[in-house]
Amino acid sequence: MGAEPSDGFRRVLVSSETEIKFAVERGRKPTVVEGMSEGTRQPSAYETIYFDTDDFDLRRHRVELCVRNRDGQVFQRIKTRQDNGNILGCQSHEIVLSDPEPNLGHARALLAPNLRDAISRSALKPRFRTRFSRISHQFANDSCITRASFDQGCIEATGRSELISEVEFKLKGGRLDSYTQECALLPRRGAGRASRREQSCARIPARNG
């Protein structure tokens, strides 16, 4: 399950991230895209499968484990929330995979002891899937560097599908207070509520249990 590259974990990418997502209100997509037009990267295609146990052990411990295909490259991502008082912060670990199955060795090396025994070939199952296209633009002011990404697609679980239309702000460098001030401007730009994907990540899988 989840064959790893021949060089083991040397291609693991570890990063601390601060991010927030906003849903894009109906009819506001042109406004959001126009605001990101200058210097925007070419669209990327994403398909991501999120895994958990029948008892949702990972979600209860604020851990995400997913396998993502991004423009043909497959990698595993494990995300854990930080306990440093930054409610927007998380720790992300990525490793390149040769197939779309979870690499349990990588996961167990990162998870707390009480979770290592909970994940196994039989216990870990796909819970929901997202498919979306993304365009991104990075910008800076005197105090911070932020990457804005606009995602459009769908989230699928238990035979149901819901649309994704959201913008993600990720702090790439600089001061947290300046970043949060930038995020506070999002409602004026047509993105003014918690993203459907963030809500669905907590809600849709639970319906399978």
Side-chain angles (χ1 to χ4, degrees):
M1 189 184 228
E4 62 184 346
S6 58
D7 57 354
F9 295 156
R10 283 184 291 173
R11 281 184 278 175
V12 171
L13 171 64
V14 181
S15 61
S16 295
E17 300 178 344
T18 299
E19 61 184 28
I20 188 169
K21 297 183 179 73
F22 292 89
V24 176
E25 297 173 351
R26 187 183 301 274
R28 290 287 190 165
K29 175 185 173 182
T31 303
V32 174
V33 173
E34 181 182 356
M36 298 171 59
S37 59
E38 184 177 352
T40 299
R41 301 176 184 176
Q42 290 297 312
S44 293
Y46 287 77
E47 180 175 355
T48 308
I49 303 173
Y50 291 81
F51 293 83
D52 209 334
T53 66
D54 286 339
D55 294 328
F56 298 100
D57 293 285
L58 297 182
R59 181 160 64 93
R60 286 191 292 106
H61 289 84
R62 305 177 72 195
V63 176
E64 290 182 3
L65 190 160
C66 69
V67 173
R68 171 168 286 180
N69 185 318
R70 180 181 59 208
D71 293 334
Q73 182 182 43
V74 181
F75 58 96
Q76 176 169 285
R77 185 179 191 184
I78 297 175
K79 182 185 290 188
T80 58
R81 291 295 172 183
Q82 296 179 353
D83 295 322
N84 59 2
N86 177 10
I87 62 174
L88 304 178
C90 61
Q91 190 84 10
S92 176
H93 305 257
E94 294 182 358
I95 184 172
V96 176
L97 299 178
S98 59
D99 61 60
E101 293 293 326
N103 185 310
L104 296 187
H106 173 230
R108 289 191 178 116
L110 297 171
L111 297 178
N114 61 322
L115 285 178
R116 292 172 191 164
D117 294 336
I119 61 171
S120 64
R121 294 178 185 270
S122 58
L124 207 59
K125 301 174 183 177
R127 293 300 169 188
F128 63 99
R129 179 191 308 261
T130 60
R131 307 174 197 262
F132 59 90
S133 63
R134 167 175 288 181
I135 57 173
S136 298
H137 172 63
Q138 189 161 296
F139 58 93
N141 60 26
D142 293 338
S143 302
C144 72
I145 302 171
T146 305
R147 187 179 70 198
S149 300
F150 175 65
D151 299 340
Q152 188 165 36
C154 65
I155 178 170
E156 303 167 350
T158 62
R160 299 178 64 252
S161 178
E162 296 186 15
L163 295 180
I164 293 171
S165 183
E166 66 187 28
V167 62
E168 174 190 271
F169 265 23
K170 181 173 291 187
L171 177 64
K172 304 299 290 184
R175 292 167 41 189
L176 179 62
D177 59 341
S178 180
Y179 162 79
T180 54
Q181 289 174 11
E182 288 289 335
C183 292
L185 297 176
L186 263 293
R188 303 177 189 177
R189 300 170 184 169
R193 54 187 171 84
S195 87
R196 180 173 295 277
R197 183 163 23 148
E198 287 196 335
Q199 296 169 355
S200 299
C201 287
R203 186 181 70 250
I204 292 183
R207 294 177 180 173
N208 194 37

